[in-house]
Amino acid sequence: MAKKRGNDAAKSGNSSSEKGEPASKKLKSNSVQEKTSSTEASETFHSEAVTNSGEKWNFKIVSWNINGLRAWLQNDGHSIIAKEDPDVICLQETKCSKDKIPEAALNVPGYKSYFMSAEKEGYAGVAVYSKVAPLSIAYGVSDGEHDKEGRAITLKFEDFYLVTAYVPNSGRGLVTLDKRLNWDAIFLKYLQELDKEKPVIMCGDLNVSHHEIDLANPKTNRKNAGFTQEERDGFTKLLEAGFVDSFRHFYPKKENAYTFWTYMRNARAKNVGWRLDYFVVSERFKESLCDSLIRSWVMGSDHCPITLLIHTKMARSS
Amino acid sequence: MAKKRGNDAAKSGNSSSEKGEPASKKLKSNSVQEKTSSTEASETFHSEAVTNSGEKWNFKIVSWNINGLRAWLQNDGHSIIAKEDPDVICLQETKCSKDKIPEAALNVPGYKSYFMSAEKEGYAGVAVYSKVAPLSIAYGVSDGEHDKEGRAITLKFEDFYLVTAYVPNSGRGLVTLDKRLNWDAIFLKYLQELDKEKPVIMCGDLNVSHHEIDLANPKTNRKNAGFTQEERDGFTKLLEAGFVDSFRHFYPKKENAYTFWTYMRNARAKNVGWRLDYFVVSERFKESLCDSLIRSWVMGSDHCPITLLIHTKMARSS
DNA sequence: CGTATGACG
DNA sequence: CGTCGTACG
């Protein structure tokens, strides 16, 4: 039977505490706003977010670039599933061929699991766990070259498509920028095709920080992978095609909000980071959004998980 | 000026405590023999050993397969030099090209250093540190193929040659047994040539356990690298050519005396080991030997160091 | 800096 | 199991 969520998660305090500048987002009148002033994230997974029309969230999606499934398991990254209890969790950079996926990752109680690995050992790879079995599932983006690299999985649900992607990194010295720009074009078309049928929720490591606000050192990274004009333009083009950066939808001016910190130079402790991970949704799906959150305190990878809270009317069983 | 040793090292207790079955070796009458019964090594570097004719040791040589110079430095293997204060220390498997040797290993106060690295990065390689500058030094064994792999250094001293060697491993499935047997023949000739001129002290990782007593699991290793009949025969041939296994000279029946334990299966804690490291000397040099010791408690590699105590009449400065 | 390979032991 | 190398990020 369909289960309502959001309600039962109600507790005192800390809801919406990540919101520096709530924008198009309505806050519940009784929400506690302490800890709201700084850029600090509160270390809770609780939220009472609602849609613009006041419907409480009842479906949660997590996305996380885990930088190696096996290391992530050892680092207890896995525990995010118990803590967030998401309906769907999408993982990028599993770096693990299918036959080497540990039992604990293959069979997660309560979830169906889907994997797409790269041909190259220990490279790229994505995975999805879903409580609800999708109507159908598709691997890749229908491109011979990109699909060798295990970069996308699409789940068709009743009222939306969910696509998770690990977008090609342009590399040191931008040696693979061409591959990346080729992906951007192909991927946009892919999303547009899906969008003709149903609203799309696309999430993952998009390997770009869109604007200066989206990384700690915009000035010095203009020529570096993840902040070249070409990559930024690719993202702009995506939004212009009728999609929305859900985090900026809720927090248009929030600074110091990142999802990736290089392991080098103690960057995470200093919050010298990049926002590379996104939930991007079809324009018309905005009305179903309740919140878009960055779990910046969650360790286990050089990226942190991000969480999307939505209200869906589709039947859900768990 | 020449400095006498052995004497000044005198302390109470624990001398000769490694000796399970003292054989051709004379014990000092006042030596304490507690801890002598078991196979346990006492954790001391002290000794008052003398030659058959009663001359105290005054020259100490250490040999150690360190399994990676840089890791060994990090594991504080380096501290053996302060603890043993050897006149010469020979290292095998430095796994480090010359240009990558850390400063701390290049310049050891009180020692001259000599390195022979393999062409292949991170493979094999040997090194020698000596307080006394040798009369001359030679790298390799005058063989084009073997000498690409950085496997031997020869130091010419007044009254002996010191050769250190890292003998080729025959490999899993004995894939490089041929290379190994080729080495054995070439190396034996090389030693015999030196032996014509002066007595030879040869030390290092010979990658063979000679007899069943020299490894924990002789039955199951008959077909494995380090205990094949061919490798054992090679060692027998070396001894038949007029050389002596100094450890067996002193301890002909001592069991459970090993110098290598695989990192796998907790082998070292269980003393499931192999005696692969040796001091082999010219027959006529026996009269200069004071002791041949295994420092089985010294950590920092999957091998432990071994120590040779000799009496030399050559002038020594320090 | 850290997760992956693969060679070697 | 652990130390190397290289690729990748």
Side-chain angles (χ1 to χ4, degrees):
Chain A
M1 86 176 206
K3 185 177 109 183
K4 280 279 176 189
R5 285 261 296 256
N7 264 340
D8 19 353
K11 275 200 271 183
S12 65
N14 286 334
S15 56
S16 307
S17 56
E18 272 198 335
K19 288 158 197 169
E21 306 84 4
S24 57
K25 176 72 185 57
K26 280 204 250 179
L27 284 171
K28 275 185 71 81
S29 54
N30 65 345
S31 66
V32 178
Q33 296 205 43
E34 61 194 39
K35 293 191 186 175
T36 311
S37 57
S38 78
T39 59
E40 290 304 303
S42 71
E43 304 197 4
T44 176
F45 298 95
H46 169 64
S47 173
E48 296 186 345
V50 297
T51 63
N52 246 331
S53 53
E55 295 159 308
K56 287 165 184 150
W57 72 268
N58 62 2
F59 199 89
K60 180 191 282 193
I61 307 170
V62 167
S63 176
W64 197 359
N65 177 320
I66 58 173
N67 190 32
L69 177 68
R70 284 160 291 179
W72 177 75
L73 287 170
Q74 290 199 319
N75 296 339
D76 198 39
H78 200 64
S79 63
I80 189 73
I81 296 174
K83 289 173 190 157
E84 278 274 24
D85 188 30
D87 294 278
V88 183
I89 178 166
C90 303
L91 307 178
Q92 302 86 38
E93 276 206 273
T94 50
K95 292 184 162 191
C96 193
S97 56
K98 274 180 186 167
D99 50 310
K100 290 181 180 164
I101 297 167
E103 171 62 21
L106 272 178
N107 295 311
V108 176
Y111 292 86
K112 313 212 171 277
S113 58
Y114 309 93
F115 298 91
M116 186 181 196
S117 299
E119 286 185 0
K120 191 196 293 195
E121 284 290 299
Y123 181 70
V126 291
V128 180
Y129 296 87
S130 178
K131 286 186 180 178
V132 185
L135 303 176
S136 67
I137 185 138
Y139 296 92
V141 292
S142 302
D143 178 89
E145 287 309 305
H146 292 302
D147 289 352
K148 287 177 185 168
E149 301 193 327
R151 295 192 175 276
I153 298 177
T154 302
L155 281 70
K156 183 176 185 171
F157 288 111
E158 279 178 43
D159 51 1
F160 56 85
Y161 278 105
L162 174 62
V163 182
T164 191
Y166 172 51
V167 172
N169 189 302
S170 298
R172 299 256 166 103
L174 305 176
V175 285
T176 49
L177 180 58
D178 285 352
K179 174 170 94 175
R180 159 56 173 277
L181 299 179
N182 179 256
W183 164 278
D184 281 353
I186 287 168
F187 192 46
L188 176 53
K189 279 181 206 160
Y190 179 78
L191 296 176
Q192 287 179 302
E193 285 304 308
L194 296 178
D195 185 59
K196 287 177 186 168
E197 202 189 323
K198 295 184 189 221
V200 172
I201 303 173
M202 186 272 282
C203 68
D205 176 359
L206 305 192
N207 259 320
V208 66
S209 287
H210 192 196
H211 294 303
E212 297 212 343
I213 194 176
D214 294 313
L215 72 168
N217 293 321
K219 306 299 180 199
T220 54
N221 280 306
R222 288 234 156 77
K223 300 286 177 68
N224 290 337
F227 201 59
T228 64
Q229 197 56 53
E230 296 95 318
E231 292 164 307
R232 297 170 64 189
D233 289 349
F235 195 83
T236 300
K237 210 169 160 187
L238 171 64
L239 301 192
E240 288 172 353
F243 295 93
V244 175
D245 173 354
S246 65
F247 182 79
R248 286 294 168 216
H249 168 69
F250 287 112
Y251 311 101
K253 295 185 175 166
K254 184 158 184 175
E255 299 179 342
N256 308 308
Y258 310 127
T259 67
F260 163 81
W261 307 261
T262 173
Y263 279 126
M264 296 173 240
R265 294 175 299 269
N266 206 20
R268 191 160 184 172
K270 296 184 282 189
N271 198 29
V272 179
W274 302 58
R275 194 166 68 93
L276 301 179
D277 301 87
Y278 298 80
F279 285 98
V280 169
V281 305
S282 300
E283 278 279 0
R284 66 189 184 283
F285 200 75
K286 281 200 304 197
E287 63 189 29
S288 299
L289 297 180
C290 299
D291 210 344
S292 185
L293 302 162
I294 296 175
R295 304 309 202 188
S296 57
W297 66 89
V298 176
M299 308 303 284
S301 168
D302 49 0
H303 294 244
C304 72
I306 58 175
T307 299
L308 189 73
L309 302 177
I310 64 175
H311 178 83
T312 172
K313 291 178 177 67
M314 72 179 175
R316 298 171 48 255
S317 56
S318 65
Chain B
M1 85 175 204
K3 184 178 109 185
K4 280 282 175 186
R5 287 260 297 253
N7 266 341
D8 20 356
K11 275 199 272 182
S12 66
N14 285 335
S15 56
S16 308
S17 57
E18 271 198 338
K19 290 158 194 166
E21 307 85 3
S24 57
K25 175 74 184 55
K26 281 204 250 175
L27 285 172
K28 276 185 70 80
S29 55
N30 65 345
S31 67
V32 177
Q33 296 206 40
E34 62 193 37
K35 293 193 185 174
T36 311
S37 58
S38 79
T39 59
E40 289 304 303
S42 72
E43 304 197 5
T44 177
F45 297 94
H46 168 64
S47 173
E48 296 186 346
V50 297
T51 63
N52 246 330
S53 53
E55 295 160 308
K56 287 166 184 151
W57 71 268
N58 62 2
F59 199 89
K60 180 192 280 192
I61 307 170
V62 166
S63 176
W64 197 358
N65 177 320
I66 57 174
N67 190 31
L69 176 68
R70 284 161 291 180
W72 176 75
L73 287 170
Q74 290 200 318
N75 295 340
D76 198 39
H78 201 63
S79 64
I80 190 74
I81 296 174
K83 289 173 190 158
E84 277 274 24
D85 188 30
D87 294 279
V88 183
I89 178 166
C90 303
L91 307 178
Q92 302 87 40
E93 276 207 273
T94 50
K95 291 183 162 190
C96 193
S97 56
K98 274 178 185 166
D99 51 309
K100 290 181 181 165
I101 296 167
E103 171 61 22
L106 272 177
N107 295 313
V108 177
Y111 292 88
K112 312 209 171 279
S113 59
Y114 309 93
F115 298 90
M116 186 182 196
S117 298
E119 286 185 1
K120 192 196 291 195
E121 285 288 298
Y123 182 69
V126 290
V128 180
Y129 297 87
S130 178
K131 286 186 178 177
V132 186
L135 304 177
S136 68
I137 185 135
Y139 297 92
V141 293
S142 302
D143 178 272
E145 288 308 304
H146 292 302
D147 289 351
K148 288 178 186 168
E149 300 193 327
R151 295 193 175 275
I153 299 178
T154 302
L155 281 72
K156 183 175 185 170
F157 288 112
E158 281 177 42
D159 52 359
F160 56 83
Y161 277 107
L162 175 61
V163 183
T164 192
Y166 173 51
V167 172
N169 188 302
S170 298
R172 299 257 166 103
L174 304 176
V175 286
T176 49
L177 181 58
D178 285 353
K179 174 170 95 174
R180 160 57 173 276
L181 299 179
N182 179 256
W183 164 279
D184 280 353
I186 286 168
F187 192 47
L188 176 53
K189 280 181 204 157
Y190 179 78
L191 296 176
Q192 287 179 303
E193 286 303 310
L194 297 179
D195 186 60
K196 286 177 187 168
E197 201 190 322
K198 295 184 189 221
V200 172
I201 303 174
M202 184 273 281
C203 68
D205 177 359
L206 305 192
N207 258 321
V208 66
S209 288
H210 191 197
H211 293 303
E212 297 212 343
I213 194 175
D214 295 313
L215 71 167
N217 293 320
K219 306 300 179 197
T220 54
N221 280 306
R222 288 232 155 79
K223 302 287 178 66
N224 290 337
F227 201 59
T228 63
Q229 197 56 53
E230 295 95 319
E231 292 165 306
R232 297 170 63 190
D233 289 348
F235 195 83
T236 300
K237 211 168 159 188
L238 171 63
L239 301 192
E240 287 173 352
F243 295 92
V244 175
D245 173 354
S246 65
F247 182 79
R248 284 296 166 215
H249 169 67
F250 288 113
Y251 312 100
K253 295 185 176 167
K254 185 157 182 177
E255 299 179 342
N256 307 308
Y258 310 126
T259 67
F260 163 81
W261 305 262
T262 173
Y263 279 125
M264 297 174 238
R265 293 174 300 269
N266 205 20
R268 191 159 184 173
K270 296 185 281 188
N271 198 30
V272 178
W274 302 57
R275 194 165 69 93
L276 300 179
D277 301 87
Y278 298 81
F279 285 99
V280 169
V281 304
S282 300
E283 278 278 359
R284 66 190 184 286
F285 200 75
K286 282 200 303 198
E287 62 188 30
S288 299
L289 297 180
C290 297
D291 210 343
S292 186
L293 302 162
I294 297 175
R295 305 308 202 188
S296 56
W297 65 89
V298 176
M299 307 304 284
S301 166
D302 49 0
H303 293 243
C304 73
I306 57 175
T307 298
L308 189 72
L309 302 177
I310 64 175
H311 178 84
T312 173
K313 291 178 178 65
M314 72 179 175
R316 297 170 50 253
S317 54
S318 66

